[in-house]
Amino acid sequence: MELWFTERQTPGVALSFQVIRTIHRERTRYQDLAVLETRDNGKVLVLDGCVMTTDLDEFVYHEMIAHVPLCTHPCPRRVLVIGGGDGGTVREVLKHDSVEAAVLAEIDGGVIEASRQHLPNLSRSLDDPRCHVMVGDGAEHVSSRPGEYDVILCDSTDPVGPGAVLFSGGFYRASHQSLTGDGVFCAQMESPFFHGELIGRVVRDLRRVFPVVRLYLAVVPTYPGALWSFVLASKKADPVRDARTVRLNTRYYTPEVHRAAFVLPKFVEELVRPESP
Ligand code: SAM
């Protein structure tokens, strides 16, 4: 008999994985958590029925959420990762020699523990001496740390439950305050196919706070619509004009992919077109 896990990505679209076995399953303080061994995607982390990471394509997402902003900043030393309890984004951040501290602010300690136990390819970096793990709300953390970080990466769940606050204008203002004078903020920003209104609203909110706000794209096959977006907001550097050319141990990110990621298809350009005065 075959066993399948199906993620309802929208009310009318689903994605299914053939499951070899359930490695771990629990109800944490915040969410339903599962780690599955699947036939074609390897290990899959699922939170509240939503696919967070899969062995097959996690490197695309984690490399692109980390290296684009870090290579935009002139010399990132203190980096904050909000969410990201699986450890994949911290793993990529620590590939930068300039980074002295990578702080992880993850609200759900159960995600960190499950990843430590079952997803070592993602979580191994959490034991790096430069990594400091804080279990708590990322929005509260930035509100109490003015001028603390060179780069803030928001590797959150979707805008529901505890993740909703990480898509608010108040959070973007607090993040701006928590960044140094040439700080860079970046957040995963969902699917241009299914979340266009959200993308447009977030870009407008960020433009009220940051002088430079740009969207970039990558292909993550297991996320809804496969084409995934990230929004970068910067106090000074432009992510294309000022990007540093850094050759890293990666499988997707290159300096050329960095620049190409900001070339947007017409329907995405229209989502983020500045409002006419
Ligand atoms: N890469 C995945 C994606 O793009 O869907 C998300 C990675 S990670 C698993 C997302 C994490 O955000 C979850 O572990 C969740 O607990 C955490 N999270 C949600 N809201 C949060 C908040 N307000 N503060 C800190 N972490 C939060």
Side-chain angles (χ1 to χ4, degrees), residues 31 45 47 51-53 61-62 82-86 105-108 111 136-139 155-158 162-166 188 223 228:
Q31 43 211 339
L45 172 65
L47 292 179
V51 171
M52 295 288 115
T53 73
Y61 171 88
H62 291 123
I82 294 174
D86 52 80
E106 161 61 62
I107 201 166
D108 190 342
V111 174
D137 178 45
D155 176 12
S156 72
T157 42
D158 301 328
V165 68
L166 303 178
Q188 72 90 3
Y223 285 173
W228 207 248

Side-chain angles (χ1 to χ4, degrees), residues 130-144:
R130 291 176 293 167
C131 179
H132 311 282
V133 175
M134 192 279 291
V135 177
D137 178 45
E140 288 176 14
H141 181 77
V142 293
S143 298
S144 60

